[in-house]
């Protein structure tokens, strides 16, 4: 059995590149600290509600509801609004490689969302995150709050 | 409003003053007083990775006061582009038209370096609208740059 669990919060994938170092890899030991760091960083954009969850084999930990966050962050670019709001959200909930990563949470703390990413053991996590990254790299046309813009000199 | 441009390596020195840092929350990536509390200006700057950008910093002053900072880097790709890494008017200097003046300087800089494009990343809705208003449009080059960005994760 893997003793350390790693949380995966989808919203952490959409983050300021200056803070990429804090991307995802939070272990149960410092998860609260990371949550604090994350909330502080994102204050003014959105406070991310959190809840606790017991993983499949009894590990307690923290999860981030992600649905609302995606709705917010992926709506930034107006011409991509509808696509991302529904498209990516639907993919996360229903399509591979996300589908098998989603836990359906009954916790009352997560009233605003029906699903959340939860804990994975290290090897699963590494495998899955690579799949997710590859998928996103191929499919995203904007990255969270970012849109690349240009001005052409005529 | 008269604005002077100082293309200088003094930026880091200038920003070592905590009061100045607070006036550029985007560049220093901190709007939270609580987070910078107890830290030295140097520590804040270390966290602000922008200080490590290789691009050229531009310091804009008006009446001897720093009103804006920008950082731009010429990129040699299929075309020669100016990547605008940072562009910020001091929080207490906004609403005075400084951004337009600063942008003029950036455009001149781009032309001087024979750039075909200026590219940048819009961080949020207001930035997106601002740059759109300035004649920028969503780049078709989005995907490669996003890939690069994402691969750094």
């Amino acid at each position: 059995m893997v003793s350390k669990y790693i949380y995966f919060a989808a919203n952490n994938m959409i983050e300021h590149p200056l803070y990429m170092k804090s991307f995802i890899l939070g272990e149960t030991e410092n998860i609260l600290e990371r949550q604090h760091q994350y909330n502080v960083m994102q204050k003014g954009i959105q406070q991310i509600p959190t809840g606790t969850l017991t993983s499949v084999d009894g590990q307690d930990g923290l999860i981030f509801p992600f649905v609302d966050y995606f709705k917010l962050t992926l709506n930034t670019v107006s011409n991509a609004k509808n696509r991302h709001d529904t498209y990516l959200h639907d993919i996360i909930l229903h399509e591979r490689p996300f589908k098998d990563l989603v836990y359906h949470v009954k916790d009352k703390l997560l009233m605003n969302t029906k699903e959340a990413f939860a804990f994975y053991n290290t090897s699963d996590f590494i495998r899955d995150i690579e799949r997710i990254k590859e998928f996103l790299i191929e499919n995203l046309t904007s990255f969270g709050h970012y849109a690349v813009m240009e001005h052409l000199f005529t | 409003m008269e604005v002077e441009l100082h293309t200088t390596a003094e930026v880091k020195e200038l920003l070592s003053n905590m009061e100045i840092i607070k006036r550029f929350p985007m560049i220093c990536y901190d709007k939270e007083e609580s987070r910078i509390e107890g830290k030295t200006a140097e520590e804040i700057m270390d966290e602000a990775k922008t200080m490590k950008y290789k691009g050229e910093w531009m310091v804009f002053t008006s009446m001897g006061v720093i009103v804006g900072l920008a950082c731009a880097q010429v990129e040699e790709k299929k075309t020669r582009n100016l990547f605008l890494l940072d562009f910020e008017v001091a929080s207490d200097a906004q609403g005075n038209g400084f951004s337009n003046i600063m942008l003029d300087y950036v455009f001149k800089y781009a032309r001087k370096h024979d750039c075909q494009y200026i590219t940048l990343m819009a961080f949020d809705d207001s930035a997106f609208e601002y740059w759109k208003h300035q004649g920028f449009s969503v780049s078709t080059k989005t995907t490669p740059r996003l890939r690069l960005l994402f691969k750094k994760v």
Side-chain angles (χ1 to χ4, degrees), chain B residues 67-116:
Chain B
V67 294
L69 292 170
C71 184
Q73 183 174 354
V74 176
E75 295 180 321
E76 291 285 357
K77 296 190 173 175
K78 287 181 182 175
T79 56
R80 190 176 171 89
N81 306 322
L82 187 74
F83 185 36
L84 192 54
L85 295 152
D86 261 318
F87 186 89
E88 184 174 8
V89 178
S91 54
D92 56 358
Q94 291 174 5
N96 294 304
F98 288 130
S99 67
N100 288 342
I101 300 170
M102 289 164 58
L103 199 55
D104 281 345
Y105 278 105
V106 172
F107 273 52
K108 283 175 190 166
Y109 184 91
R111 288 198 177 92
K112 182 181 165 187
H113 289 82
D114 299 321
C115 295
Q116 286 181 262

Side-chain angles (χ1 to χ4, degrees), chain B:
Chain B
M1 191 75 73
E2 192 170 330
V3 173
E4 289 181 57
L5 170 64
H6 310 266
T7 305
T8 172
E10 293 171 356
V11 174
K12 193 157 185 173
E13 188 182 334
L14 290 166
L15 289 183
S16 65
N17 182 318
M18 186 66 84
E19 292 309 308
I20 293 177
I21 282 181
K22 288 178 182 174
R23 295 173 62 228
F24 293 93
M26 289 297 292
I27 284 177
C28 295
Y29 197 66
D30 211 317
K31 295 178 179 175
E32 280 297 304
E33 291 278 335
S34 61
R35 194 165 155 269
I36 61 177
E37 202 171 300
K39 290 184 178 176
T40 65
E42 195 165 337
E43 285 171 330
I44 298 294
M45 284 187 297
D46 284 343
E47 288 183 28
K49 300 296 183 190
T50 49
M51 289 297 107
K52 294 179 181 174
Y53 283 170
K54 290 176 182 174
E56 184 165 357
W57 282 93
M58 304 173 191
V59 185
F60 299 89
T61 60
S62 178
M63 311 279 286
V65 176
I66 299 172
V67 294
L69 292 170
C71 184
Q73 183 174 354
V74 176
E75 295 180 321
E76 291 285 357
K77 296 190 173 175
K78 287 181 182 175
T79 56
R80 190 176 171 89
N81 306 322
L82 187 74
F83 185 36
L84 192 54
L85 295 152
D86 261 318
F87 186 89
E88 184 174 8
V89 178
S91 54
D92 56 358
Q94 291 174 5
N96 294 304
F98 288 130
S99 67
N100 288 342
I101 300 170
M102 289 164 58
L103 199 55
D104 281 345
Y105 278 105
V106 172
F107 273 52
K108 283 175 190 166
Y109 184 91
R111 288 198 177 92
K112 182 181 165 187
H113 289 82
D114 299 321
C115 295
Q116 286 181 262
Y117 291 90
I118 295 178
T119 57
L120 55 85
M121 284 203 189
F123 283 74
D124 53 29
D125 282 341
S126 57
F128 183 83
E129 291 302 322
Y130 172 78
W131 291 113
K132 197 172 160 187
H133 182 70
Q134 295 292 351
F136 284 72
S137 57
V138 175
S139 172
T140 55
K141 305 179 190 68
T142 292
T143 299
R145 188 175 295 286
L146 290 174
R147 287 179 182 187
L148 181 68
L149 179 66
F150 203 81
K151 280 178 178 174
K152 288 179 182 174
V153 172

Side-chain angles (χ1 to χ4, degrees), chain A residues 11-69:
Chain A
N11 46 25
N12 272 1
M13 297 176 72
I14 300 173
E15 210 172 69
H16 196 292
L18 306 184
Y19 278 87
M20 284 306 181
K21 62 184 178 185
S22 64
F23 168 72
I24 294 178
L25 291 173
E27 297 174 349
T28 49
E29 285 85 351
N30 68 352
I31 198 167
L32 288 174
E33 183 186 334
R34 282 179 172 273
Q35 165 64 355
H36 174 69
Q37 178 189 33
Y38 185 78
N39 274 347
V40 168
M41 284 178 347
Q42 296 294 343
K43 193 169 182 179
I45 298 173
Q46 187 189 38
Q47 286 283 354
I48 305 300
T50 60
T52 56
L53 181 74
T54 302
S55 65
V56 287
D57 59 351
Q59 288 278 332
D60 287 331
L62 195 76
I63 51 174
F64 297 86
F66 64 90
V67 175
D68 290 339
Y69 189 85

Side-chain angles (χ1 to χ4, degrees), chain A:
Chain A
M1 177 179 288
V2 178
S3 59
K4 284 187 177 180
Y5 278 75
I6 297 173
Y7 74 94
F8 166 48
N11 46 25
N12 272 1
M13 297 176 72
I14 300 173
E15 210 172 69
H16 196 292
L18 306 184
Y19 278 87
M20 284 306 181
K21 62 184 178 185
S22 64
F23 168 72
I24 294 178
L25 291 173
E27 297 174 349
T28 49
E29 285 85 351
N30 68 352
I31 198 167
L32 288 174
E33 183 186 334
R34 282 179 172 273
Q35 165 64 355
H36 174 69
Q37 178 189 33
Y38 185 78
N39 274 347
V40 168
M41 284 178 347
Q42 296 294 343
K43 193 169 182 179
I45 298 173
Q46 187 189 38
Q47 286 283 354
I48 305 300
T50 60
T52 56
L53 181 74
T54 302
S55 65
V56 287
D57 59 351
Q59 288 278 332
D60 287 331
L62 195 76
I63 51 174
F64 297 86
F66 64 90
V67 175
D68 290 339
Y69 189 85
F70 267 121
K71 282 181 181 172
L72 179 76
T73 57
L74 298 175
N75 280 351
T76 304
V77 183
S78 56
N79 64 359
K81 180 175 180 177
N82 293 330
R83 180 169 184 258
H84 278 148
D85 195 4
T86 56
Y87 171 76
L88 188 57
H89 182 194
D90 285 348
I91 285 172
I92 289 169
L93 297 183
H94 303 299
E95 304 292 334
R96 289 182 183 282
F98 298 95
K99 186 179 177 183
D100 55 346
L101 299 181
V102 175
Y103 282 71
H104 292 263
V105 180
K106 295 176 183 175
D107 197 311
K108 293 291 183 186
L109 288 169
L110 299 170
M111 288 177 67
N112 291 330
T113 181
K114 293 178 182 175
E115 303 87 7
F117 285 104
F119 292 107
Y120 294 89
N121 66 45
T122 309
S123 58
D124 284 347
F125 177 84
I126 292 170
R127 182 198 67 206
D128 290 335
I129 197 62
E130 287 305 317
R131 291 161 57 202
I132 291 172
K133 280 178 67 174
E134 287 303 313
F135 181 88
L136 290 178
I137 285 169
E138 292 306 317
N139 288 278
L140 284 185
T141 53
S142 67
F143 184 71
H145 299 280
Y146 298 94
V148 177
M149 301 181 79
E150 67 185 11
H151 185 285
L152 172 64
F153 290 110
T154 52

